Amino acid sequence: MIRFLLRRTVSAAVVLLVLAVVLYAVFYLAPGDPAQLSCGPKCSPAQLVQIREQMGLNDSVYVQFWHFLQGIVTGHDYSTGTGTVHCSAPCFGQSYRTGELVSDILVAKLPATASLAIGAMVLWLLLGIGTGVLSALRRGRPTERLLTGLTLAGTATPVFIIGILLLMLFCSVLQWLPYPSYVPFTDDPQQWAWNLLLPWLALALVESAKYARLTRSSMLETLAEDHIRTFRAYGVSERAIIGRHALRAALTPVIALSALDLGTMFGGALLTESLFNVPGLGQKLVQSVELKDLPVVVGIVLVMGFAVVIANAAADVLYALADRRVVLA
Amino acid sequence: MSAATDSAVDPAATAGLAEPLVEVRDLVIDFPTASGTVRAVDGLSFRLEAGGALGIVGESGSGKSATAYALLDLHRGTGARTGGTVRVAGTDVLGADDTELRRLRGGRAAMVFQDPLSSLDPYYAIGDQIAEVYRVHVKATRRAARERAVQVLDRVGIPDAARRSRARPHEFSGGMRQRALIAMALACEPRLLIADEPTTALDVTVQAQILDLLHELRAETGMGLLLVTHDLGVVAGSVDDVLVMRNGTAVERGAVSAVLDDPREPYTRALLAAVPQVDAARPVVLVKQRTGDERKAAVEAPLLEAVGLRREFGKRQDTVTAVDGVSLTVRRGETLGIVGESGSGKTTLGRMLVRLLDPTAGELRYDGRDIGKLGDKALRPLRRELQMVFQDPVSSLNPRRSIGESIADPLRAAGELSDKAVVERVRELLERVGLEPDWYHRYPHEFSGGQRQRVGIARALAPAPKLIVCDEPVSALDVTTQAQVVALLGELQRDLGLSLVFIAHDLAVVRQVSDRVAVMRAGKIVEEGPADAVYDSPQHAYTKGLLAAVPVLDPVESAVRRASRKGLAEV
């Protein structure tokens, strides 16, 4: 177990480092002068030179990257011309546009993304597992065909189409829900849930299709296994067989996959956040890319990468906990 | 005891007697398949009196397992159609509603399955699974059910049952798992135990232990036993009556001693004749006739020689030594048999002999030259001379390629023949192993197990090898097919002067084919010598134990051996 954690930590560090290099390279090569962006359109050449010096843009790209990495580990001080701003570790730099510290932006945007991701996951697990179990039990009957059709439609429809349809239906036609605007959980839990309901639903409808299919197939596989036959031959009721034996085995891959998906979601569901106006990492990322705000983009993508790496490790641990025959190494 | 009496039961004769434990009349089982209905059981009738023991014997596809399943109507809900009447412990099985059926299943009649690993839920502790079943039938608290589980586990001989009951199935050995399944069956004190090939997946010594356990339990609890098996040796010592099945009908039935000693039906006789006998010397026909000179040459020039061959798997503290310093020789034109139980390292050894696995240490000399450390490139010319036949004829052939193509593979790899010549050679080979040359374009699924193994042999023969390692080549086959494949191997060896290494867990089969035999245990060869010498006067205690565990066809002899095993155990 210790060796497993150690190896995972090392490989996570390598993955994130490679990610940082690639991002840095892409944006360094991309057109546009960061100093110009930072200074704004009405910028005198003298200001530009000063800002260039402050931002360290006169250093070579390697030195700049090195400072960036250093900042993550030890923190960094920025001069603003009149004084200095301390950016404590992990420091991902400053926004070119607003001068805000990237770490502050991340902390500010994370709750919305986390709310969206976790809520959507709960919903898609309920929907997906329920549908999957039902279609496994009703195999070959009309119910199953209907559910298969629905899940297929779910997988095939892009999330923004479902999202727009949901918005049209619930907000403009039926007017049951207000157009979503994010309310932090700490302000008003009820409004928080109410406003997130549609984005949760949109994500869950798309994601649950995958889970329904996975649950269905692993359920059918398990039901065909010898040990299920054993319990049938011992008079155990069908309900207990399904609930205790079949579902238990069928859920193992579902658990592992949902950990991975949650990790991906933490990086921000870009389309969903933009569409439903959820002020999370995804929305911020889209805005920052448009504005060529390199430090913010790098910061958010590193957080995404971190979440995926953590989720991968979590999926492996969960898998091993769910199935004791698996040994982590 | 008259369990398997005549199928036409006279109502007047049975009216005064208590109801039999099992009564099956005109049982018909149909399995609908894509290509029409397959009738697995066709008008079968038999009965089993309370406390009696009946063996149902047959080859694969005879309908014996389907019959056993019908006793608990396990076909219900699977799409199979059952007809006739089945009465078990007073329940009309086929007519019972689900609740009534559930009461019967596990309560009054319990079943033990073939593969004890897959028959238990891998996610739960064994004790919990037994407790769960117990609570289905008996009103008991969780704690009481758990105690009952420990009690029955202890009864079937699981050491330290209280602690081991918390283990999951994968932490048990094969024999322990089968004991655990039997414990589950015992939990509710059933009147009938149905055992479907309970020992087929087990080693001989473990098989003997399980059969002894069943025997003891029957004497102790007075429950009836219905034992389904393909192995005539297994029924000999374990049941009173036997019913021989073929194509869904009963071919012959009667007291086990009568059927085995003096079979009336030709099919039964053929079946018995095909069973390899561990105490019979190798049939003379199979021995290659050698002149004195040839014999001398053979002794002088070993074809393959292993010296201190060793193989480890895993790293550092997890290292497992599968083969631990094995030295052996295979001479030209002879068959070396390697016997051992599962985990003895015989397969690892076999793979090293043809260099499918690299030895960790030791020397492997082929034709006097050390090939143990040769790289892939240097080995390539030798690959054709060292071939292998695998155990599972299903998974060792590519299902998406025709058998002709599979056999042609080694020829094409050699790259010496034109396409036309390759096809011609494959057709020859097919004929050589007793298949139709025109079957070149057929696919593996169109063949039976025995035919597929012939394809595997043809593939091994294709590059004209000097040595073939056969790893359990017949253990997946029925006795009659097994006898045919063994005969084919002997014939090929005689005609082509091949050297064979024949690896198997079945001591009788190995004796049948081998000139010399090596007995493996825990990665080492414990005894080696001419086959007859090893079998008739074994020197090592392990060999003696193995031979004592082999089931024999004679019920009287079987009882004697059981008693002697018991004596050994108690000393």
Side-chain angles (χ1 to χ4, degrees), chain A residues 226-227 229-237 244-245 248-249 252 322-325, chain B residues 69 102 105-106 111 113 118-124 129 132-133 136-137 170 185:
Chain A
D226 286 350
H227 68 264
R229 180 192 62 192
T230 305
F231 290 99
R232 287 212 177 106
Y234 278 91
V236 177
S237 70
R244 211 169 318 158
H245 299 285
R248 174 75 165 75
T252 310
D323 188 342
R324 296 295 180 84
R325 290 167 298 178
Chain B
Y69 280 30
R102 283 220 308 275
R105 290 176 174 182
M111 190 144 175
F113 296 93
S118 62
S119 297
L120 288 163
D121 191 327
Y123 293 106
Y124 293 95
Q129 299 188 44
E132 182 187 351
V133 165
V136 170
H137 298 283
H170 71 276

mmCIF file of all heavy atoms in Angstrom, chain A residues 226-227 229-237 244-245 248-249 252 322-325, chain B residues 69 102 105-106 111 113 118-124 129 132-133 136-137 170 185:
data_model
loop_
_atom_site.group_PDB
_atom_site.id
_atom_site.type_symbol
_atom_site.label_atom_id
_atom_site.label_comp_id
_atom_site.label_asym_id
_atom_site.label_seq_id
_atom_site.Cartn_x
_atom_site.Cartn_y
_atom_site.Cartn_z
ATOM 1 N N ASP A 226 -21.621 -18.573 -11.825
ATOM 2 C CA ASP A 226 -21.938 -19.786 -11.078
ATOM 3 C C ASP A 226 -22.417 -19.509 -9.664
ATOM 4 O O ASP A 226 -23.283 -20.212 -9.156
ATOM 5 C CB ASP A 226 -20.707 -20.694 -11.006
ATOM 6 C CG ASP A 226 -20.431 -21.366 -12.340
ATOM 7 O OD1 ASP A 226 -21.297 -21.262 -13.226
ATOM 8 O OD2 ASP A 226 -19.368 -21.980 -12.490
ATOM 9 N N HIS A 227 -21.845 -18.494 -9.010
ATOM 10 C CA HIS A 227 -22.215 -18.336 -7.605
ATOM 11 C C HIS A 227 -23.654 -17.852 -7.454
ATOM 12 O O HIS A 227 -24.289 -18.112 -6.445
ATOM 13 C CB HIS A 227 -21.219 -17.457 -6.849
ATOM 14 C CG HIS A 227 -21.202 -16.029 -7.252
ATOM 15 N ND1 HIS A 227 -20.304 -15.517 -8.152
ATOM 16 C CD2 HIS A 227 -21.982 -15.001 -6.884
ATOM 17 C CE1 HIS A 227 -20.524 -14.237 -8.301
ATOM 18 N NE2 HIS A 227 -21.535 -13.894 -7.550
ATOM 19 N N ARG A 229 -26.030 -19.001 -9.337
ATOM 20 C CA ARG A 229 -26.726 -20.281 -9.423
ATOM 21 C C ARG A 229 -26.705 -20.992 -8.079
ATOM 22 O O ARG A 229 -27.705 -21.581 -7.649
ATOM 23 C CB ARG A 229 -26.037 -21.153 -10.482
ATOM 24 C CG ARG A 229 -26.673 -22.502 -10.671
ATOM 25 C CD ARG A 229 -25.775 -23.403 -11.496
ATOM 26 N NE ARG A 229 -24.498 -23.636 -10.822
ATOM 27 C CZ ARG A 229 -23.436 -24.184 -11.389
ATOM 28 N NH1 ARG A 229 -23.478 -24.529 -12.659
ATOM 29 N NH2 ARG A 229 -22.326 -24.370 -10.714
ATOM 30 N N THR A 230 -25.550 -20.918 -7.381
ATOM 31 C CA THR A 230 -25.470 -21.563 -6.073
ATOM 32 C C THR A 230 -26.561 -21.046 -5.143
ATOM 33 O O THR A 230 -27.274 -21.819 -4.514
ATOM 34 C CB THR A 230 -24.094 -21.300 -5.423
ATOM 35 O OG1 THR A 230 -23.093 -21.718 -6.332
ATOM 36 C CG2 THR A 230 -23.959 -22.042 -4.120
ATOM 37 N N PHE A 231 -26.686 -19.709 -5.074
ATOM 38 C CA PHE A 231 -27.657 -19.160 -4.129
ATOM 39 C C PHE A 231 -29.085 -19.454 -4.566
ATOM 40 O O PHE A 231 -29.953 -19.651 -3.724
ATOM 41 C CB PHE A 231 -27.398 -17.668 -3.910
ATOM 42 C CG PHE A 231 -26.130 -17.446 -3.146
ATOM 43 C CD1 PHE A 231 -24.958 -17.119 -3.783
ATOM 44 C CD2 PHE A 231 -26.097 -17.665 -1.775
ATOM 45 C CE1 PHE A 231 -23.777 -16.968 -3.079
ATOM 46 C CE2 PHE A 231 -24.919 -17.522 -1.062
ATOM 47 C CZ PHE A 231 -23.753 -17.175 -1.718
ATOM 48 N N ARG A 232 -29.319 -19.511 -5.867
ATOM 49 C CA ARG A 232 -30.652 -19.930 -6.330
ATOM 50 C C ARG A 232 -30.921 -21.361 -5.886
ATOM 51 O O ARG A 232 -32.007 -21.694 -5.454
ATOM 52 C CB ARG A 232 -30.728 -19.862 -7.861
ATOM 53 C CG ARG A 232 -30.800 -18.461 -8.370
ATOM 54 C CD ARG A 232 -31.619 -18.405 -9.667
ATOM 55 N NE ARG A 232 -31.725 -17.018 -10.094
ATOM 56 C CZ ARG A 232 -31.047 -16.496 -11.119
ATOM 57 N NH1 ARG A 232 -30.289 -17.268 -11.870
ATOM 58 N NH2 ARG A 232 -31.179 -15.233 -11.422
ATOM 59 N N ALA A 233 -29.886 -22.209 -6.001
ATOM 60 C CA ALA A 233 -30.061 -23.623 -5.649
ATOM 61 C C ALA A 233 -30.222 -23.813 -4.153
ATOM 62 O O ALA A 233 -30.530 -24.907 -3.696
ATOM 63 C CB ALA A 233 -28.865 -24.426 -6.142
ATOM 64 N N TYR A 234 -29.978 -22.760 -3.374
ATOM 65 C CA TYR A 234 -30.151 -22.867 -1.934
ATOM 66 C C TYR A 234 -31.374 -22.098 -1.462
ATOM 67 O O TYR A 234 -31.492 -21.787 -0.290
ATOM 68 C CB TYR A 234 -28.883 -22.424 -1.209
ATOM 69 C CG TYR A 234 -27.867 -23.537 -1.163
ATOM 70 C CD1 TYR A 234 -26.924 -23.673 -2.158
ATOM 71 C CD2 TYR A 234 -27.918 -24.505 -0.163
ATOM 72 C CE1 TYR A 234 -26.024 -24.724 -2.156
ATOM 73 C CE2 TYR A 234 -27.028 -25.547 -0.142
ATOM 74 C CZ TYR A 234 -26.077 -25.661 -1.138
ATOM 75 O OH TYR A 234 -25.201 -26.710 -1.120
ATOM 76 N N GLY A 235 -32.241 -21.752 -2.391
ATOM 77 C CA GLY A 235 -33.508 -21.168 -2.003
ATOM 78 C C GLY A 235 -33.453 -19.717 -1.582
ATOM 79 O O GLY A 235 -34.407 -19.193 -1.019
ATOM 80 N N VAL A 236 -32.339 -19.037 -1.824
ATOM 81 C CA VAL A 236 -32.261 -17.611 -1.501
ATOM 82 C C VAL A 236 -33.190 -16.865 -2.459
ATOM 83 O O VAL A 236 -33.247 -17.178 -3.643
ATOM 84 C CB VAL A 236 -30.806 -17.108 -1.640
ATOM 85 C CG1 VAL A 236 -30.723 -15.619 -1.374
ATOM 86 C CG2 VAL A 236 -29.894 -17.872 -0.690
ATOM 87 N N SER A 237 -33.923 -15.891 -1.917
ATOM 88 C CA SER A 237 -34.914 -15.224 -2.752
ATOM 89 C C SER A 237 -34.239 -14.377 -3.828
ATOM 90 O O SER A 237 -33.121 -13.908 -3.669
ATOM 91 C CB SER A 237 -35.806 -14.333 -1.902
ATOM 92 O OG SER A 237 -35.068 -13.226 -1.440
ATOM 93 N N ARG A 244 -27.993 -8.409 -2.876
ATOM 94 C CA ARG A 244 -26.791 -8.671 -2.104
ATOM 95 C C ARG A 244 -25.657 -9.231 -2.953
ATOM 96 O O ARG A 244 -24.507 -8.932 -2.713
ATOM 97 C CB ARG A 244 -27.114 -9.650 -0.972
ATOM 98 C CG ARG A 244 -26.253 -9.401 0.228
ATOM 99 C CD ARG A 244 -26.722 -10.174 1.435
ATOM 100 N NE ARG A 244 -28.182 -10.151 1.589
ATOM 101 C CZ ARG A 244 -28.847 -11.083 2.286
ATOM 102 N NH1 ARG A 244 -28.213 -12.068 2.842
ATOM 103 N NH2 ARG A 244 -30.150 -11.004 2.412
ATOM 104 N N HIS A 245 -25.998 -10.059 -3.927
ATOM 105 C CA HIS A 245 -24.918 -10.729 -4.653
ATOM 106 C C HIS A 245 -24.651 -10.126 -6.031
ATOM 107 O O HIS A 245 -23.520 -9.825 -6.364
ATOM 108 C CB HIS A 245 -25.209 -12.219 -4.754
ATOM 109 C CG HIS A 245 -25.298 -12.883 -3.425
ATOM 110 N ND1 HIS A 245 -24.188 -13.170 -2.664
ATOM 111 C CD2 HIS A 245 -26.355 -13.267 -2.672
ATOM 112 C CE1 HIS A 245 -24.570 -13.718 -1.522
ATOM 113 N NE2 HIS A 245 -25.877 -13.795 -1.496
ATOM 114 N N ARG A 248 -23.800 -6.177 -5.875
ATOM 115 C CA ARG A 248 -22.507 -5.984 -5.217
ATOM 116 C C ARG A 248 -21.366 -6.143 -6.221
ATOM 117 O O ARG A 248 -20.449 -5.323 -6.275
ATOM 118 C CB ARG A 248 -22.388 -7.009 -4.092
ATOM 119 C CG ARG A 248 -21.059 -7.057 -3.398
ATOM 120 C CD ARG A 248 -20.937 -5.859 -2.487
ATOM 121 N NE ARG A 248 -19.855 -6.035 -1.540
ATOM 122 C CZ ARG A 248 -18.584 -5.935 -1.837
ATOM 123 N NH1 ARG A 248 -18.235 -5.656 -3.067
ATOM 124 N NH2 ARG A 248 -17.660 -6.116 -0.919
ATOM 125 N N ALA A 249 -21.448 -7.192 -7.008
ATOM 126 C CA ALA A 249 -20.380 -7.442 -7.979
ATOM 127 C C ALA A 249 -20.480 -6.463 -9.138
ATOM 128 O O ALA A 249 -19.474 -5.981 -9.643
ATOM 129 C CB ALA A 249 -20.480 -8.874 -8.485
ATOM 130 N N THR A 252 -18.848 -2.809 -8.733
ATOM 131 C CA THR A 252 -17.409 -2.568 -8.639
ATOM 132 C C THR A 252 -16.881 -1.709 -9.793
ATOM 133 O O THR A 252 -16.239 -0.684 -9.550
ATOM 134 C CB THR A 252 -16.659 -3.902 -8.536
ATOM 135 O OG1 THR A 252 -17.273 -4.660 -7.505
ATOM 136 C CG2 THR A 252 -15.210 -3.694 -8.220
ATOM 137 N N ALA A 322 -13.397 -2.600 -2.931
ATOM 138 C CA ALA A 322 -14.640 -3.272 -3.314
ATOM 139 C C ALA A 322 -14.398 -4.740 -3.623
ATOM 140 O O ALA A 322 -15.225 -5.587 -3.356
ATOM 141 C CB ALA A 322 -15.264 -2.583 -4.515
ATOM 142 N N ASP A 323 -13.250 -5.031 -4.179
ATOM 143 C CA ASP A 323 -12.945 -6.410 -4.533
ATOM 144 C C ASP A 323 -11.636 -6.782 -3.867
ATOM 145 O O ASP A 323 -10.568 -6.414 -4.327
ATOM 146 C CB ASP A 323 -12.837 -6.539 -6.053
ATOM 147 C CG ASP A 323 -12.719 -7.992 -6.481
ATOM 148 O OD1 ASP A 323 -12.376 -8.829 -5.612
ATOM 149 O OD2 ASP A 323 -12.964 -8.294 -7.650
ATOM 150 N N ARG A 324 -11.737 -7.528 -2.775
ATOM 151 C CA ARG A 324 -10.548 -7.787 -1.957
ATOM 152 C C ARG A 324 -9.524 -8.684 -2.648
ATOM 153 O O ARG A 324 -8.431 -8.879 -2.150
ATOM 154 C CB ARG A 324 -10.961 -8.438 -0.632
ATOM 155 C CG ARG A 324 -11.807 -7.545 0.231
ATOM 156 C CD ARG A 324 -10.998 -6.326 0.681
ATOM 157 N NE ARG A 324 -11.793 -5.456 1.515
ATOM 158 C CZ ARG A 324 -11.961 -5.641 2.818
ATOM 159 N NH1 ARG A 324 -11.396 -6.650 3.413
ATOM 160 N NH2 ARG A 324 -12.703 -4.823 3.515
ATOM 161 N N ARG A 325 -9.901 -9.237 -3.802
ATOM 162 C CA ARG A 325 -8.923 -10.078 -4.477
ATOM 163 C C ARG A 325 -7.866 -9.244 -5.171
ATOM 164 O O ARG A 325 -6.816 -9.713 -5.537
ATOM 165 C CB ARG A 325 -9.617 -10.967 -5.515
ATOM 166 C CG ARG A 325 -10.466 -12.050 -4.887
ATOM 167 C CD ARG A 325 -11.360 -12.677 -5.921
ATOM 168 N NE ARG A 325 -12.287 -11.694 -6.482
ATOM 169 C CZ ARG A 325 -13.148 -11.967 -7.431
ATOM 170 N NH1 ARG A 325 -13.201 -13.148 -7.951
ATOM 171 N NH2 ARG A 325 -13.969 -11.039 -7.879
ATOM 172 N N TYR B 69 -29.872 -31.017 -12.243
ATOM 173 C CA TYR B 69 -30.464 -29.696 -12.082
ATOM 174 C C TYR B 69 -31.985 -29.776 -11.979
ATOM 175 O O TYR B 69 -32.612 -28.994 -11.268
ATOM 176 C CB TYR B 69 -30.080 -28.785 -13.254
ATOM 177 C CG TYR B 69 -28.704 -28.191 -13.145
ATOM 178 C CD1 TYR B 69 -27.690 -28.869 -12.486
ATOM 179 C CD2 TYR B 69 -28.414 -26.948 -13.683
ATOM 180 C CE1 TYR B 69 -26.424 -28.338 -12.374
ATOM 181 C CE2 TYR B 69 -27.148 -26.395 -13.586
ATOM 182 C CZ TYR B 69 -26.154 -27.101 -12.927
ATOM 183 O OH TYR B 69 -24.906 -26.562 -12.816
ATOM 184 N N ARG B 102 -38.406 -22.974 -3.165
ATOM 185 C CA ARG B 102 -37.318 -22.403 -2.383
ATOM 186 C C ARG B 102 -37.121 -23.150 -1.069
ATOM 187 O O ARG B 102 -36.018 -23.271 -0.570
ATOM 188 C CB ARG B 102 -37.585 -20.919 -2.100
ATOM 189 C CG ARG B 102 -37.312 -20.034 -3.298
ATOM 190 C CD ARG B 102 -36.626 -18.744 -2.858
ATOM 191 N NE ARG B 102 -37.335 -18.070 -1.809
ATOM 192 C CZ ARG B 102 -38.344 -17.230 -2.025
ATOM 193 N NH1 ARG B 102 -38.737 -16.977 -3.252
ATOM 194 N NH2 ARG B 102 -38.947 -16.657 -1.021
ATOM 195 N N ARG B 105 -35.165 -26.272 -2.024
ATOM 196 C CA ARG B 105 -33.782 -25.982 -2.399
ATOM 197 C C ARG B 105 -32.957 -25.604 -1.186
ATOM 198 O O ARG B 105 -33.204 -24.582 -0.554
ATOM 199 C CB ARG B 105 -33.736 -24.809 -3.377
ATOM 200 C CG ARG B 105 -34.269 -25.107 -4.755
ATOM 201 C CD ARG B 105 -34.250 -23.848 -5.584
ATOM 202 N NE ARG B 105 -34.632 -24.106 -6.967
ATOM 203 C CZ ARG B 105 -34.661 -23.163 -7.898
ATOM 204 N NH1 ARG B 105 -34.336 -21.922 -7.591
ATOM 205 N NH2 ARG B 105 -35.006 -23.445 -9.129
ATOM 206 N N GLY B 106 -31.999 -26.431 -0.862
ATOM 207 C CA GLY B 106 -31.113 -26.112 0.251
ATOM 208 C C GLY B 106 -31.657 -26.584 1.579
ATOM 209 O O GLY B 106 -30.912 -26.827 2.507
ATOM 210 N N MET B 111 -27.362 -28.937 -3.052
ATOM 211 C CA MET B 111 -26.530 -29.302 -4.192
ATOM 212 C C MET B 111 -25.094 -28.811 -4.006
ATOM 213 O O MET B 111 -24.863 -27.707 -3.513
ATOM 214 C CB MET B 111 -27.142 -28.666 -5.437
ATOM 215 C CG MET B 111 -26.538 -29.149 -6.712
ATOM 216 S SD MET B 111 -27.837 -29.247 -7.962
ATOM 217 C CE MET B 111 -26.862 -29.669 -9.382
ATOM 218 N N PHE B 113 -21.662 -28.128 -6.274
ATOM 219 C CA PHE B 113 -21.336 -27.947 -7.685
ATOM 220 C C PHE B 113 -19.898 -28.321 -8.014
ATOM 221 O O PHE B 113 -19.073 -28.522 -7.143
ATOM 222 C CB PHE B 113 -21.596 -26.497 -8.094
ATOM 223 C CG PHE B 113 -23.041 -26.114 -7.989
ATOM 224 C CD1 PHE B 113 -23.535 -25.519 -6.842
ATOM 225 C CD2 PHE B 113 -23.912 -26.371 -9.033
ATOM 226 C CE1 PHE B 113 -24.863 -25.179 -6.735
ATOM 227 C CE2 PHE B 113 -25.239 -26.034 -8.941
ATOM 228 C CZ PHE B 113 -25.721 -25.438 -7.785
ATOM 229 N N SER B 118 -15.834 -20.773 -8.495
ATOM 230 C CA SER B 118 -16.847 -19.899 -9.072
ATOM 231 C C SER B 118 -18.211 -20.105 -8.421
ATOM 232 O O SER B 118 -19.111 -19.308 -8.618
ATOM 233 C CB SER B 118 -16.940 -20.125 -10.576
ATOM 234 O OG SER B 118 -17.329 -21.451 -10.837
ATOM 235 N N SER B 119 -18.361 -21.159 -7.641
ATOM 236 C CA SER B 119 -19.668 -21.423 -7.038
ATOM 237 C C SER B 119 -19.901 -20.668 -5.737
ATOM 238 O O SER B 119 -20.953 -20.791 -5.134
ATOM 239 C CB SER B 119 -19.852 -22.919 -6.793
ATOM 240 O OG SER B 119 -19.828 -23.598 -8.023
ATOM 241 N N LEU B 120 -18.899 -19.925 -5.286
ATOM 242 C CA LEU B 120 -19.093 -19.114 -4.088
ATOM 243 C C LEU B 120 -18.931 -17.651 -4.466
ATOM 244 O O LEU B 120 -18.166 -17.313 -5.374
ATOM 245 C CB LEU B 120 -18.063 -19.503 -3.024
ATOM 246 C CG LEU B 120 -18.287 -20.864 -2.358
ATOM 247 C CD1 LEU B 120 -17.034 -21.330 -1.646
ATOM 248 C CD2 LEU B 120 -19.452 -20.792 -1.380
ATOM 249 N N ASP B 121 -19.643 -16.791 -3.766
ATOM 250 C CA ASP B 121 -19.555 -15.359 -4.061
ATOM 251 C C ASP B 121 -18.194 -14.826 -3.617
ATOM 252 O O ASP B 121 -17.851 -14.936 -2.437
ATOM 253 C CB ASP B 121 -20.684 -14.617 -3.321
ATOM 254 C CG ASP B 121 -20.815 -13.173 -3.806
ATOM 255 O OD1 ASP B 121 -19.776 -12.578 -4.159
ATOM 256 O OD2 ASP B 121 -21.936 -12.655 -3.833
ATOM 257 N N PRO B 122 -17.419 -14.281 -4.549
ATOM 258 C CA PRO B 122 -16.070 -13.844 -4.191
ATOM 259 C C PRO B 122 -16.036 -12.680 -3.206
ATOM 260 O O PRO B 122 -15.014 -12.423 -2.581
ATOM 261 C CB PRO B 122 -15.469 -13.415 -5.535
ATOM 262 C CG PRO B 122 -16.638 -13.116 -6.415
ATOM 263 C CD PRO B 122 -17.719 -14.055 -5.967
ATOM 264 N N TYR B 123 -17.152 -11.975 -3.052
ATOM 265 C CA TYR B 123 -17.125 -10.751 -2.254
ATOM 266 C C TYR B 123 -17.405 -10.959 -0.771
ATOM 267 O O TYR B 123 -17.191 -10.074 0.028
ATOM 268 C CB TYR B 123 -18.138 -9.742 -2.796
ATOM 269 C CG TYR B 123 -17.765 -9.226 -4.150
ATOM 270 C CD1 TYR B 123 -18.435 -9.640 -5.287
ATOM 271 C CD2 TYR B 123 -16.724 -8.318 -4.288
ATOM 272 C CE1 TYR B 123 -18.094 -9.158 -6.538
ATOM 273 C CE2 TYR B 123 -16.374 -7.831 -5.528
ATOM 274 C CZ TYR B 123 -17.055 -8.254 -6.648
ATOM 275 O OH TYR B 123 -16.706 -7.778 -7.873
ATOM 276 N N TYR B 124 -17.974 -12.108 -0.423
ATOM 277 C CA TYR B 124 -18.370 -12.282 0.976
ATOM 278 C C TYR B 124 -17.564 -13.378 1.657
ATOM 279 O O TYR B 124 -17.104 -14.325 1.011
ATOM 280 C CB TYR B 124 -19.855 -12.633 1.067
ATOM 281 C CG TYR B 124 -20.754 -11.499 0.642
ATOM 282 C CD1 TYR B 124 -21.228 -11.422 -0.654
ATOM 283 C CD2 TYR B 124 -21.101 -10.493 1.532
ATOM 284 C CE1 TYR B 124 -22.048 -10.376 -1.059
ATOM 285 C CE2 TYR B 124 -21.907 -9.448 1.148
ATOM 286 C CZ TYR B 124 -22.382 -9.386 -0.147
ATOM 287 O OH TYR B 124 -23.178 -8.356 -0.533
ATOM 288 N N GLN B 129 -21.713 -16.494 3.908
ATOM 289 C CA GLN B 129 -22.523 -17.075 2.841
ATOM 290 C C GLN B 129 -23.301 -18.289 3.355
ATOM 291 O O GLN B 129 -24.460 -18.482 3.004
ATOM 292 C CB GLN B 129 -21.630 -17.484 1.667
ATOM 293 C CG GLN B 129 -20.900 -16.288 1.073
ATOM 294 C CD GLN B 129 -20.165 -16.611 -0.215
ATOM 295 O OE1 GLN B 129 -20.705 -17.285 -1.073
ATOM 296 N NE2 GLN B 129 -18.950 -16.134 -0.338
ATOM 297 N N GLU B 132 -26.091 -17.026 5.535
ATOM 298 C CA GLU B 132 -27.181 -16.472 4.744
ATOM 299 C C GLU B 132 -28.132 -17.578 4.283
ATOM 300 O O GLU B 132 -29.351 -17.475 4.403
ATOM 301 C CB GLU B 132 -26.627 -15.724 3.525
ATOM 302 C CG GLU B 132 -27.731 -15.086 2.700
ATOM 303 C CD GLU B 132 -27.227 -14.480 1.394
ATOM 304 O OE1 GLU B 132 -25.999 -14.394 1.205
ATOM 305 O OE2 GLU B 132 -28.070 -14.100 0.573
ATOM 306 N N VAL B 133 -27.536 -18.651 3.768
ATOM 307 C CA VAL B 133 -28.345 -19.780 3.304
ATOM 308 C C VAL B 133 -29.114 -20.404 4.468
ATOM 309 O O VAL B 133 -30.294 -20.740 4.352
ATOM 310 C CB VAL B 133 -27.437 -20.821 2.610
ATOM 311 C CG1 VAL B 133 -28.151 -22.135 2.443
ATOM 312 C CG2 VAL B 133 -26.959 -20.275 1.277
ATOM 313 N N VAL B 136 -32.226 -18.604 5.404
ATOM 314 C CA VAL B 136 -33.335 -18.734 4.458
ATOM 315 C C VAL B 136 -34.292 -19.823 4.933
ATOM 316 O O VAL B 136 -35.499 -19.731 4.790
ATOM 317 C CB VAL B 136 -32.800 -19.074 3.045
ATOM 318 C CG1 VAL B 136 -33.943 -19.457 2.112
ATOM 319 C CG2 VAL B 136 -32.031 -17.896 2.481
ATOM 320 N N HIS B 137 -33.706 -20.865 5.542
ATOM 321 C CA HIS B 137 -34.508 -22.038 5.871
ATOM 322 C C HIS B 137 -34.835 -22.183 7.350
ATOM 323 O O HIS B 137 -35.790 -22.845 7.707
ATOM 324 C CB HIS B 137 -33.789 -23.304 5.387
ATOM 325 C CG HIS B 137 -33.593 -23.320 3.905
ATOM 326 N ND1 HIS B 137 -34.609 -23.606 3.034
ATOM 327 C CD2 HIS B 137 -32.520 -23.042 3.137
ATOM 328 C CE1 HIS B 137 -34.163 -23.521 1.792
ATOM 329 N NE2 HIS B 137 -32.897 -23.175 1.825
ATOM 330 N N HIS B 170 -11.334 -16.819 -2.312
ATOM 331 C CA HIS B 170 -10.035 -16.889 -2.968
ATOM 332 C C HIS B 170 -8.898 -17.179 -2.002
ATOM 333 O O HIS B 170 -7.792 -17.496 -2.426
ATOM 334 C CB HIS B 170 -9.754 -15.598 -3.745
ATOM 335 C CG HIS B 170 -9.478 -14.413 -2.881
ATOM 336 N ND1 HIS B 170 -10.473 -13.632 -2.345
ATOM 337 C CD2 HIS B 170 -8.323 -13.889 -2.442
ATOM 338 C CE1 HIS B 170 -9.924 -12.671 -1.624
ATOM 339 N NE2 HIS B 170 -8.627 -12.804 -1.662
ATOM 340 N N ALA B 185 -24.051 -27.082 2.103
ATOM 341 C CA ALA B 185 -25.094 -28.064 1.845
ATOM 342 C C ALA B 185 -25.580 -28.706 3.135
ATOM 343 O O ALA B 185 -26.764 -28.976 3.303
ATOM 344 C CB ALA B 185 -24.576 -29.133 0.881
#
